[in-house]
Amino acid sequence: MDINGGNGYNNKGGGRRVVAGTTDFYRRLPSEMTESTKVGVMMSLLSIATMVVLFLCETWAFSRTRIRSSVEIDTNVEASIRLDFNLTLYDVHCDFVSVDVWDTLGTNLQNVTKDITKWRLDDVGQKQKFHGRNTQQRQVKHQEHEETLQDIHDSNGGEPHSTDLSPQNSQAFYTAHHLAMVDFYAPWCIWCQRLAPTWEKFAMEVKEKRIDLGVGKVDCVAHQQMCKDERVMAFPTLRWMEDGKAVMPDYRGDRTVDGLVEYAKRRVDDSKGGNNDNKSNNGDNRALANNEWDEDHHPGCQVSGHLMVNRVPGNLHVEAKSSHHEINSAMTNLTHRVNHLSFGPPRAPNYNFMALFGDAFPATYRHSNPMKGKFYPSAEYHTAFHHHMKIVSSHADYLASSRGSSSSSVVYQILEESQVVVYEVQEIPEIKFLWDMSPMSVSLTKEGRRWYEYMTNLLAIIGGTYTTLGLINATLLKLFKPKRL
């Protein structure tokens, strides 16, 4: 018989209740055993504010990603890359701007015009007039003569038909001839030599047809200062003068007697307010002249475009060159500004879309156009800037398009160094952009945070804030609560 009676069953039930009670992590005290204090209220509000701030910071950090970089051997297999450029040359006429490309594989392209656009500039460097796109230099027709230059002189008693101008007689010549056309030439220039008999016959025709025009010529080797004062950039330069002052533009038409005579008549009629019939008979040429008779001596040129270049060391040349002139090296001023120069394809639309949500490509690696807006003045003649560039490809796989193309995930960074190069007197200065491809590349990967890390941190914020401020609250209560006697 159980001496405890029915208490055996009850003791077992009480034991289970005790065990269950010990596993309750969330025990609570009856409300009559708790006490609200001002310090507790303040700490509670501070706790809530702290949790909210930390929650927002943690959520912001979770939504952001971190970019990790590493240096690797470049695995890019592209045979060629795109080169985009936009340059402003402040003292070279668009007719003389030539773009050349050379590389170590043997590529040697002269006067590239495909995908090249040129704009003429005014005297303050602003775009003024569209010069052309994909346009080559106009071919000039030269006239051949049976007579030699000496034969033409002999027909005038051994004297030239045109006037040899010098500092001693130029003022008297311009005083005697309100309108004049002058050939600025160099004896060593092959184009000047071919023009010489045509120029003498042109002077003879002007006299015979009684055109009110003086025809002269200046030897720029014998009279260098005269040509410098006139800013003669190329030989031969055929310039229209009124009262001894140059009237732009220089003559760029065919170098034939008929072409020169027609041009002279037209300009004389225009200067004197010639009749409309004569103007209408030369409609096309007249329209061209009206569009061009307002330029300066050396209006600048903005040249831009893109080229496909091999991924090997090479260089881009920008220089003054002409297929029917000899450039005057003493007057070649290659002061320029780099508006844009970069390698690789233009940024894809998805790149701009991703940029709205953060640093799609970190600023640390945005050196694809380091020369943008930089000004490079040529303080002296016979000098020009050479720009040396090391090209480093940076691969960001997370920028690749959804179609599987990786072209938008490669950005070519440029490390650039520029220096002034002094040329020999007889050499034509040229702007050079020299590049070399680095065998190493920068690989960029995006590191994000896992969702469980985010949740763990949130719980840590809640628990840590509650516990820490609870300890502070208890300490303050002990310090400031009056003691009982």
Side-chain angles (χ1 to χ4, degrees), residues 376-411:
Y376 300 94
S378 295
E380 300 178 358
Y381 291 113
H382 306 294
T383 63
F385 272 89
H386 287 190
H387 309 280
H388 301 266
M389 299 176 289
K390 176 69 74 173
I391 312 301
V392 182
S393 60
S394 299
H395 301 263
D397 295 337
Y398 55 86
L399 292 180
S401 64
S402 58
R403 292 175 293 180
S405 173
S406 61
S407 60
S408 62
S409 66
V410 180
V411 173

Side-chain angles (χ1 to χ4, degrees), residues 406-422:
S406 61
S407 60
S408 62
S409 66
V410 180
V411 173
Y412 291 92
Q413 299 185 72
I414 300 176
L415 305 177
E416 176 266 341
E417 182 67 31
S418 301
Q419 63 180 3
V420 177
V421 176
V422 180

Side-chain angles (χ1 to χ4, degrees), residues 292-309:
E292 291 196 351
W293 287 7
D294 57 354
E295 69 180 40
D296 297 322
H297 272 65
H298 289 182
C301 183
Q302 185 180 101
V303 55
S304 62
H306 69 270
L307 305 166
M308 296 303 298
V309 298

